[in-house]
């Protein structure tokens, strides 16, 4: 592959583990590109809902994902020219994303798009299967996790900060359901990649987690 020499750091982990924030900060510090792969699944789910395609229809959702009109620019996320960065953070979009992400045809449809993010000088990719499936030859692989309570707290704060309403009990139940689906699906289940460093951030600040990943990076 022509770009296989370009360094990749993968940061995988369960929902609300903080991997998005950590990945963005690490990319910023290293001057690397960023792939928020979860955003692609969220965009595909939003596309399907807008096109009134049933989320259970694997083929139809995959067809939409194959030609997803997604663009990323300076932290903004566009779907067919409309800025939807905040909108796709809604819990409903996340839950729908998790449902369609279980379909092999949908994952396959988004495969080439994800590989295209590997550009010089390097890439930080966050998601569920970055180190296991999409970039198995990544230079550094991290599996970021945290207790379900810590993750529910973080998601609660994130939603409130973004102006969404949130209920702690519902969030805990949603998180557990999403963990269950992401971990037990047959394609690209959420598991640490071979050789991944495991980072439990339950009692860590974002700065500490970023510092740890950058430290591992310097060891390579
Ligand atoms: O913010 P959160 O971690 O909940 O979600 P996300 O990273 O934006 O991803 C949304 C959903 O897409 C997840 O629940 C996963 O089911 C799915 N996903 C995936 O299957 N593979 C990826 N590489 C990234 C996300």
């Amino acid at each position: 592959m022509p770009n296989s020499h370009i360094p990749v750091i993968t940061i995988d982990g369960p929902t609300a583990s903080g991997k998005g924030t950590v990945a963005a900060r690490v990319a910023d510090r290293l001057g690397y590109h960023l792939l928020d792969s979860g955003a692609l699944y969220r965009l595909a789910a939003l596309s399907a809902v807008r096109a009134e395609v049933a989320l259970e229809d694997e083929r139809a959702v995959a067809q939409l994902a194959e030609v997803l009109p997604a663009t990323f620019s300076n932290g903004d996320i566009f779907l067919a020219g409309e800025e939807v960065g905040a909108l796709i953070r809604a819990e409903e979009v996340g839950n729908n994303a998790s449902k369609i992400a279980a379909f092999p045809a949908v994952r396959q449809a988004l495969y080439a798009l994800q590989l295209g993010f590997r550009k010089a000088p390097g890439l930080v990719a966050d998601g569920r299967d970055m180190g296991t499936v999409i970039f198995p030859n990544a230079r550094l692989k991290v599996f970021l996790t945290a207790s379900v309570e810590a993750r529910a707290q973080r998601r609660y704060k994130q939603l409130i900060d973004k102006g969404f309403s949130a209920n702690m009990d519902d969030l805990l139940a949603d998180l557990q359901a999403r963990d269950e689906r992401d971990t037990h699906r047959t394609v690209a289940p959420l598991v640490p990649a071979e050789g991944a460093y495991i980072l439990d951030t339950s009692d860590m600040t974002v700065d500490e987690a970023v510092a740890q990943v950058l430290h591992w990076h310097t060891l390579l």
Side-chain angles (χ1 to χ4, degrees), residues 14-16 19 36-39 41-42 89 94 97-98 101 107 114 126-130 155 178 182 185:
T15 185
K19 60 195 180 332
D36 171 1
S37 62
Y41 289 92
R42 287 172 183 264
R89 292 297 140 205
S98 159
R107 306 198 71 83
Q114 295 178 83
D126 97 69
R128 302 291 189 288
D129 62 341
M130 297 296 98
R155 180 51 51 89
R178 194 135 25 128
D182 288 351
R185 67 185 175 212

Side-chain angles (χ1 to χ4, degrees), residues 17 67 71-72 81 90 92-94 101 116 119 162 174-175 184 186 195 197 207 209-210:
S17 56
V67 293
T71 35
F72 295 79
E92 193 196 339
V93 180
K119 290 195 184 117
K162 288 196 192 304
D174 271 2
L175 239 73
H184 292 106
T186 46
Y197 289 90
D207 283 346
V210 170

Side-chain angles (χ1 to χ4, degrees), residues 119-138:
K119 290 195 184 117
L123 174 70
V124 181
D126 97 69
R128 302 291 189 288
D129 62 341
M130 297 296 98
T132 49
V133 176
I134 309 293
F135 302 109
N137 64 350

